Amino acid sequence: MPTTVVNRRAVLLLCGTTAGFLLLDIHKVSIAVPAIERALRPGPVGIQLIQAAYVVCFAITLVPAGRVGDAGRRLALTYAGTYLYLAAGVLCAVAPDTGFVITGRALLGVAAGLLMPQVMGIVQQLFPAAERGKAFGVYGMCVSLATALGPSLGGLLVTTPLLGWRGVFVMNVPVGIALLVAVHVLLPAVGRDQGARRRPDIDVIGLALGSLALVALLTPFLFTTGLPTDVGARWLALVPAGVLAVLFVTRSRQRVATGRSGVIDPALLRIPSFRNGVLVSLTWFAAGPGVALALTVHLQEARGATPFLAGLVVLPSSATSVLGAWLGGRYVARFGRVLTGAGMLLVLSSTLGTVALLHSDLTTASVLAVIPLLQLVQGLGGGLVVSPNHAMTLVDVPSAQGSAAGAIGQLGQRISNSIGVAAASMAYYSTIYGAGSTLTDAPAVLHRDALDRATAVACLFLCAAIVVVVVDLRRRHRARHACDPEVAEPVPEPVPRNRPR
């Protein structure tokens, strides 16, 4: 028995660390963007594709990988995803040109989509309901630590003359080797406990419709560069995106109505708490990548910071995000959406404070000393958002639909990430390239304008998330007053018609 406990803990640490590195790859490439521009000259579209390829392929792979894993092939997909993660990391690290980097990033996204549902499923499989909350707390801490150390370590490797821009991808290689060894040592017993295999019910057509809708939605953002060569008709891609999205939802509804699985279950979106939680995720997770991109590129190109220092200044936010997540999980039952709203306001104030600081005449050394203090506030706010929102999103979901709800939540987050990265990148790069400059030769004042625009885009997503929180707060307030006779306003007694005067 003691051996089993030790193995469970080791597997939990492995799952949390793996998830952390998969999420880290969403934004860590921002550290290397200036170095990639100097070495490969990919231009704004190439940079955008390097960033978007990972998140889009991550999103597309998530749901089918989750279904196949749940059908008894969790261990096989974990092995396949880990081998692919390592191979794609090597491809990115040795890539001779932009096309190979984009291909490697796309393969990394597929690997992430294969792995993420499996590591979450393994935690649910190994820990009973009574222990699951504590287990996911440890899981969340591992995620935070991995995402905290990643940008600074990646920045340090990029600063190394021998590696340059390749350093941010070289980091994937030892990580992939370590994960591969760990899964072969720790996970065989987990695989034996899965039971009989069955054929997964995957809606291939629905998945294709949803994937094409996402690609069509991102197309005008990816190809908006500010250059005279921009095609004006690119925004017409939003029309087929809308049509494909309608077809996607219609097919999912029809599949579920006939008792088969759809990519999403539309019935879940009729649950108010779940729907509002997903809307919070769709807006909230679009804001973070834009802020990270604008800050790291601006610090390097306008303030002269090294990639290592640019990655180091965001390190404090991950430490306080662990604290925020712990506080959020502890007090969500008492304060609910108030915690989420407070966290968002902290993030918004920290973001605006950082932009104001970068507009000041302070020296780079002073700026780099003050930004980590603002990042402490930002991390605390982020922790207060994610943990309570996760709990409140699933609170009214029937246990039998928990896996489907989790798949929708993960898919929504990845779609949100991809839209946020594309919109903020468009705002930043089109400002630079539209003025006839490049990232590496643009003056500091132009980078400041680009920072303002990209941050404004991110703040719009954040403000939309705050609106959703306010709406949900009002809904919960009305529901509480309608159901609680001690809280509801007293109903006046009817006045008798023949009342004496």
Side-chain angles (χ1 to χ4, degrees), residues 27-34 51 151 289-302 305-307 309-314 358 428 451:
H27 60 266
K28 77 173 185 182
V29 73
S30 299
I31 293 288
V33 163
Q51 293 175 308
V291 172
L293 166 76
L295 180 60
T296 53
V297 174
H298 178 85
L299 286 175
Q300 293 179 67
E301 295 305 305
T306 64
L309 288 176
L312 196 62
V313 296
V314 300
L358 292 172
Y428 201 104
L451 170 73

Side-chain angles (χ1 to χ4, degrees), residues 24-80:
L24 170 65
D25 266 296
I26 293 173
H27 60 266
K28 77 173 185 182
V29 73
S30 299
I31 293 288
V33 163
I36 292 173
E37 171 67 7
R38 289 188 182 92
L40 301 180
R41 300 294 178 186
V45 174
I47 295 173
Q48 287 249 54
L49 289 174
I50 290 172
Q51 293 175 308
Y54 178 81
V55 190
V56 172
C57 291
F58 193 165
I60 291 172
T61 313
L62 266 172
V63 173
R67 294 273 163 78
V68 175
D70 288 342
R73 295 169 174 82
R74 187 166 291 147
L75 186 60
L77 286 190
T78 303
Y79 288 150

Side-chain angles (χ1 to χ4, degrees), residues 279-280 283-284 344 458-470:
L279 286 174
V280 167
T283 47
W284 165 260
M344 290 180 179
C459 287
L460 284 175
F461 286 118
L462 185 52
C463 289
I466 293 173
V467 170
V468 176
V469 167
V470 171

Side-chain angles (χ1 to χ4, degrees), residues 276-351:
N276 288 335
V278 171
L279 286 174
V280 167
S281 292
L282 280 172
T283 47
W284 165 260
F285 282 96
V291 172
L293 166 76
L295 180 60
T296 53
V297 174
H298 178 85
L299 286 175
Q300 293 179 67
E301 295 305 305
R303 290 284 180 167
T306 64
F308 173 63
L309 288 176
L312 196 62
V313 296
V314 300
L315 185 60
S317 67
S318 294
T320 50
S321 70
V322 176
L323 174 62
W326 179 79
L327 291 173
R330 184 179 179 86
Y331 294 106
V332 63
R334 182 183 302 180
F335 298 107
R337 280 286 175 218
V338 173
L339 280 178
T340 311
M344 290 180 179
L345 291 175
L346 286 175
V347 172
L348 181 60
S349 62
S350 171
T351 301

Side-chain angles (χ1 to χ4, degrees), residues 83-114:
Y83 277 109
L84 183 58
Y85 179 90
L86 177 59
V90 172
L91 177 59
C92 289
V94 301
D97 56 34
T98 303
F100 278 90
V101 177
I102 295 171
T103 302
R105 288 281 290 171
L107 292 175
L108 273 174
V110 173
L114 292 175

Side-chain angles (χ1 to χ4, degrees), residues 375-403:
Q375 289 294 307
L376 289 172
V377 178
Q378 183 147 342
L380 178 64
L384 290 174
V385 173
V386 176
S387 178
N389 185 64
H390 180 74
M392 287 181 288
T393 301
L394 300 178
V395 66
D396 296 323
V397 174
S399 58
Q401 295 176 285
S403 296

Side-chain angles (χ1 to χ4, degrees), residues 462-485:
L462 185 52
C463 289
I466 293 173
V467 170
V468 176
V469 167
V470 171
V471 170
D472 198 35
L473 269 172
R474 295 185 63 184
R475 180 191 65 82
R476 291 171 183 269
H477 181 75
R478 288 195 300 267
R480 186 169 60 250
H481 279 65
C483 298
D484 191 346

